[in-house]
Amino acid sequence: METESKPRAIVHLDMDCFYAAIEVRDRPSLRGKPIGVGGARDRRGVLTTCNYEARKFGVRSAMPTFMALQRCPNLIVLPTRFDIYRREAAVIRGILHRFTSLIEPLSLDEAYLDVTAHPGAPEPLAQVIRGTIFRETKLTSSAGIGPNKLVAKIASEINKPNGQFEVKPEQVPAFMKDLPVRKIWGIGEKTERKLEELGVKTCGALQRLSRPELVDLFGKFGLDLFDLCRGIDHRPVEPDRPRKSLSTEETFAVDLTTLEQCEEKLEELFQDLMADLAQKESTRAITKIFVKLKFGDFTRTTAERAGLAPTLQDFRSLLAEAFVRAEKPVRLIGIGVRFAETTPERAQMDLL
Ligand code: TTP
Ligand code: MG
């Protein structure tokens, strides 16, 4: 088959400062100002992300808000609006599906696309995809184009924001040579330190270690590393297998005895669930929501209802319903949503 002899063409697409970009788009008076999105300083909040104006001051994702404000006193901190981010991600996913069905989402604003079968060269195609996203959402994105997922993902950071970079198959060896080892997926801080002790900082230096040496150092992962540091990565782009539900739960060290105590915990669980939902299942239509309780005596009950929106208020009413069934000390609370069994295209239509 032709596609077997032809090198693969993989695009890694990543929206630029996604949540922050949406907030600025929707409030044009914020344009050009440093903004962060996340929890407020007085509530020990953390930023989910910030725009590039804020990054100039050293503000970063996952930074406590008080620290971000120390670095950038003029930072405007906005609350998260996960429902808006989910809707935007669904629109973007819909656009990507016009170009290929081989899409592997990594989070709500990032995906791999296998465009090998697409007629024409991948570089101009990535331009067209990013241009279409911008025309239809007024949001910018960046892309990396390469013969595999490893190279495409690393390449997408190079001309970020609002740019793209292609590594052609014959350019891979030169591209890898001076690349810091940390850029390889699977190499974290620990492995990086271990390699540094051996004097290995770049992928080029890592290439000088033999397979047996790498296995000695890293076990089975050593075999992967042998390929990865040469820019070889056979992992296919795997479209998501749809999950049926998404939930989060917490078991308490001390059982909760009142509905008020449970409601307080529910609020925390709700924040977690919404963040998880936005990251992992940004495009699916929700059919049901549920609250599960386990009691001190290990009995359990689940209250669930179709047609409710995943709002704190609706989870609260389910919690009350489940709680009064037993009126026993609560050992665990779980909350979650169930999804319609649909294709991404269909889910996207449900959402719009
Ligand atoms: P990223 O793509 O990692 O970041 P980004 O899009 O904000 O910025 P970049 O231009 O570097 O791609 O994450 C996508 C969104 O996910 C981000 O806008 C907010 C959210 N997020 C969190 O909620 N917590 C986090 O720790 C990170 C890294 C991201
Ligand atoms: Mg991004």
Side-chain angles (χ1 to χ4, degrees):
M1 260 170 30
E2 199 200 345
T3 46
E4 272 173 9
S5 53
K6 189 173 156 189
R8 287 191 300 157
I10 310 298
V11 174
H12 175 259
L13 188 102
D14 183 7
M15 300 303 296
D16 300 324
C17 58
F18 189 49
Y19 297 179
I22 293 172
E23 298 300 341
V24 172
R25 177 198 65 185
D26 293 351
R27 288 172 243 208
S29 63
L30 296 178
R31 191 170 291 276
K33 298 179 181 158
I35 75 130
V37 179
R41 160 175 45 187
D42 54 352
R43 281 188 259 149
R44 286 185 286 165
V46 168
L47 295 183
T48 60
T49 191
C50 60
N51 63 0
Y52 280 76
E53 283 83 350
R55 289 182 200 194
K56 282 187 214 144
F57 293 85
V59 178
R60 295 283 175 267
S61 288
M63 182 177 277
T65 304
F66 82 88
M67 197 186 285
L69 283 162
Q70 278 171 357
R71 295 190 179 192
C72 178
N74 291 329
L75 185 72
I76 299 164
V77 180
L78 301 167
T80 48
R81 295 187 298 162
F82 288 117
D83 51 336
I84 307 284
Y85 312 147
R86 269 167 55 81
R87 202 175 59 202
E88 217 57 54
V91 172
I92 294 162
R93 201 65 53 78
I95 294 171
L96 300 185
H97 270 278
R98 292 181 209 158
F99 297 92
T100 175
S101 57
L102 282 176
I103 299 169
E104 178 179 336
L106 292 177
S107 69
L108 88 167
D109 88 320
E110 230 180 295
Y112 290 116
L113 285 73
D114 187 329
V115 296
T116 311
H118 208 279
E123 216 266 342
L125 176 63
Q127 280 292 359
V128 171
I129 295 173
R130 292 176 44 244
T132 309
I133 294 174
F134 184 74
R135 251 197 337 277
E136 297 187 18
T137 68
K138 292 287 169 279
L139 297 169
T140 65
S141 59
S142 300
I145 302 110
N148 57 52
K149 294 209 276 195
L150 170 81
V151 173
K153 179 149 182 162
I154 299 169
S156 75
E157 287 174 20
I158 291 177
N159 283 328
K160 196 172 207 2
N162 199 16
Q164 61 182 56
F165 189 81
E166 181 184 26
V167 183
K168 296 204 166 92
E170 65 274 16
Q171 296 168 331
V172 170
F175 180 71
M176 297 306 291
K177 195 172 150 279
D178 297 321
L179 203 69
V181 290
R182 187 63 189 268
K183 296 279 179 192
I184 293 182
W185 66 266
I187 294 195
E189 212 177 308
K190 222 174 104 192
T191 311
E192 186 187 28
R193 229 178 304 123
K194 202 162 159 182
L195 285 169
E196 204 172 330
E197 279 163 21
L198 298 166
V200 174
K201 286 190 179 161
T202 63
C203 289
L206 190 52
Q207 288 169 15
R208 290 197 278 274
L209 298 182
S210 69
R211 276 200 180 90
E213 281 170 324
L214 285 168
V215 170
D216 264 357
L217 285 165
F218 303 106
K220 243 177 80 185
F221 180 57
L223 291 179
D224 292 332
L225 271 185
F226 186 85
D227 283 345
L228 293 172
C229 69
R230 289 168 172 74
I232 298 169
D233 175 13
H234 297 297
R235 292 173 300 160
V237 169
E238 293 183 285
D240 254 358
R241 249 179 268 114
R243 72 182 99 210
K244 293 187 171 146
S245 66
L246 190 73
S247 63
T248 177
E249 60 181 44
E250 187 178 342
T251 305
F252 311 109
V254 179
D255 291 351
L256 309 181
T257 50
T258 65
L259 182 57
E260 288 69 39
Q261 287 174 338
C262 293
E263 278 179 345
E264 219 171 278
K265 290 292 178 192
L266 182 82
E267 222 172 302
E268 287 169 26
L269 287 168
F270 177 73
Q271 294 301 335
D272 285 354
L273 181 69
M274 294 320 280
D276 221 24
L277 208 51
Q279 285 284 335
K280 295 180 186 156
E281 289 292 357
S282 48
T283 61
R284 306 269 307 278
I286 290 163
T287 55
K288 275 185 182 174
I289 71 169
F290 64 89
V291 172
K292 173 176 87 176
L293 297 182
K294 260 193 213 165
F295 302 102
D297 60 3
F298 288 90
T299 57
R300 59 161 81 192
T301 188
T302 300
E304 82 172 63
R305 197 103 45 83
L308 289 187
T311 61
L312 182 57
Q313 201 182 355
D314 286 339
F315 279 112
R316 267 216 189 104
S317 75
L318 288 182
L319 171 70
E321 184 182 321
F323 186 81
V324 296
R325 283 182 196 160
E327 301 249 11
K328 286 191 274 199
V330 173
R331 185 185 145 68
L332 171 151
I333 303 177
I335 70 170
V337 300
R338 299 195 201 288
F339 300 110
E341 283 180 33
T342 50
T343 61
E345 293 94 326
R346 174 78 214 141
Q348 129 102 345
M349 280 161 38
D350 290 346
L351 266 172
L352 296 177

